[in-house]
Amino acid sequence: MSTFIVTGGAGLIGSNIVRELNARGETDILIVDHLNHPGKKTNLDKLEYASYQDRAAFRAALRAGDIAAPSGLFHLGACSSTMETNQAYLDDNNTGFTRELCQWCLGNGARFVYASSAATYGDGALGYSDDDAVTPKLQPLNLYGWSKQKFDLLALQEGVLDKIAGLKYFNVFGPGEDHKGDMRSVVNKSYAVIRDTGRIALFKSHRPDYADGEQDRDFVYVKDAAKVTVWLYDHPEANGIFNCGTGRARTWVDLARSLFAAMGREPQIDFIDMPLALRDKYQYHTEADMRKLRAAGCDVPFRPLEEAVADYVRSHFETAQAGKA
């Protein structure tokens, strides 16, 4: 029996959860993922764990009763593309698989901590409260958001939220996202561009109430998100769906300036038109309401944007460059 199972353990949040467990001396970990990108293999190479299993093989073994229950299961594995259009795939991979794992953990006495998403909040018209009374009213803007919303609703309707913990991660960025393609953070996408050209491009606003680049997000450093996730394993009395964000929205211009400062450059920002396909699905504002998590006793701090970006640049990008020198 593995002490821990981490699905999506080669991904952004998952690999940082494993790293957080490693920092505590925990290495009896089964990592489950799908190594469809060399960046995921790179993430694994930096971790200590007992075994690895492909996602499809793990799911088959789970259904066959061939997986021993762990002490805790962190379920981060999912298709996280907001542009995915295959609803049947998302219903199975994101919603159905999560339900299977939840039922299995509950039946075997394993702590179940899973990833929901801030994408469930849609355009933010109903605010960003993680209160159970709000959850059924939410209207995500894309199929990915709906795949997360559907499981949250199932957990609520089936009365298991007093036994499990879910996290609605806001805009998570940091080491471990090199494999994510178009879903990488703006920091990750822009570092090399700034290094080579000295400039960054941000989307123009297509709403009169927001200036260009003043659209804002609750940017969360992945190292902090991982600590919160592991805290929920440590505190099985803290159950339900919780937001995972800083509680303070910052603008894209703030993010860009933070990156320029971390790289020792003067800000040079260009504004470009947002693709038409995104305009009616774009969130102009996100900001986590953190009262519920704090009331549950979680005192894990979230570092300010400037500090997080500086750490990312120093610990990831500059380290990688030094290794190539």
Side-chain angles (χ1 to χ4, degrees):
M1 179 184 83
S2 298
T3 304
F4 298 100
I5 296 175
V6 183
T7 71
L12 171 58
I13 301 175
S15 65
N16 278 276
I17 288 172
V18 177
R19 187 174 290 108
E20 181 67 20
L21 291 172
N22 287 170
R24 295 159 45 136
E26 301 283 0
T27 59
D28 188 17
I29 304 165
L30 166 61
I31 291 178
V32 178
D33 212 308
H34 178 52
L35 297 183
N36 57 347
H37 190 286
K40 286 187 173 183
K41 179 64 167 59
T42 300
N43 287 346
L44 285 183
D45 290 343
K46 300 174 182 177
L47 305 173
E48 293 184 73
Y49 55 96
S51 56
Y52 168 85
Q53 196 162 17
D54 179 77
R55 177 187 63 202
F58 172 79
R59 194 174 184 186
L62 185 74
R63 289 174 169 175
D66 294 335
I67 301 293
S71 175
L73 190 152
F74 298 99
H75 181 42
L76 284 298
C79 171
S80 60
S81 174
T82 57
M83 303 302 289
E84 178 60 58
T85 58
N86 188 333
Q87 182 170 332
Y89 167 66
L90 290 171
D91 284 346
D92 177 61
N93 187 74
N94 288 10
T95 311
F97 189 30
T98 305
R99 189 180 193 185
E100 288 176 29
L101 289 173
C102 178
Q103 292 172 336
W104 181 71
C105 285
L106 289 175
N108 287 278
R111 177 65 166 157
F112 183 64
V113 182
Y114 76 95
S116 180
S117 173
T120 58
Y121 290 116
D123 63 3
L126 297 176
Y128 297 92
S129 170
D130 46 12
D131 188 275
D132 288 349
V134 177
T135 299
K137 304 174 185 177
L138 299 177
Q139 296 289 315
L141 294 175
N142 50 60
L143 292 180
Y144 162 72
W146 274 111
S147 73
K148 294 294 188 177
Q149 170 75 349
K150 286 175 183 177
F151 178 77
D152 290 347
L153 289 173
L154 283 170
L156 182 63
Q157 293 162 1
E158 295 178 3
V160 300
L161 283 180
D162 60 341
K163 304 177 186 71
I164 65 174
L167 282 166
K168 293 194 175 191
Y169 298 101
F170 277 64
N171 284 72
V172 180
F173 71 98
E177 62 172 318
D178 291 347
H179 65 283
K180 289 175 68 68
D182 286 343
M183 300 309 297
R184 288 175 297 146
S185 70
V186 168
V187 176
N188 187 285
K189 291 178 180 178
S190 301
Y191 176 84
V193 177
I194 293 174
R195 182 195 63 206
D196 297 341
T197 71
R199 310 188 70 83
I200 191 173
L202 300 176
F203 285 143
K204 292 178 181 178
S205 170
H206 294 273
R207 281 176 44 176
D209 50 334
Y210 283 85
D212 291 342
E214 296 300 311
Q215 310 97 314
D216 57 28
R217 292 284 186 279
D218 194 330
F219 297 108
V220 189
Y221 197 35
V222 70
K223 295 180 181 180
D224 301 332
K227 288 181 182 293
V228 170
T229 309
V230 173
W231 184 93
L232 284 170
Y233 167 80
D234 290 335
H235 295 81
E237 76 282 359
N239 294 305
I241 300 172
F242 301 97
N243 283 335
C244 185
T246 66
R248 182 189 177 196
R250 301 291 300 275
T251 69
W252 289 108
V253 169
D254 289 338
L255 184 78
R257 287 174 176 162
S258 297
L259 182 53
F260 278 105
M263 296 177 67
R265 303 285 190 100
E266 287 297 316
Q268 298 292 333
I269 303 173
D270 301 313
F271 295 103
I272 60 175
D273 286 328
M274 188 182 302
L276 286 172
L278 283 180
R279 291 186 194 180
D280 62 346
K281 299 179 180 180
Y282 186 80
Q283 291 175 309
Y284 273 73
H285 168 76
T286 68
E287 185 173 80
D289 181 338
M290 295 300 293
R291 290 175 293 181
K292 186 176 175 182
L293 186 68
R294 295 311 188 196
C298 182
D299 58 357
V300 175
F302 292 90
R303 65 199 81 190
L305 179 63
E306 291 79 6
E307 181 182 332
V309 171
D311 183 81
Y312 192 10
V313 168
R314 182 176 59 252
S315 68
H316 182 68
F317 298 111
E318 291 180 354
T319 300
Q321 274 197 240
K324 295 177 182 177

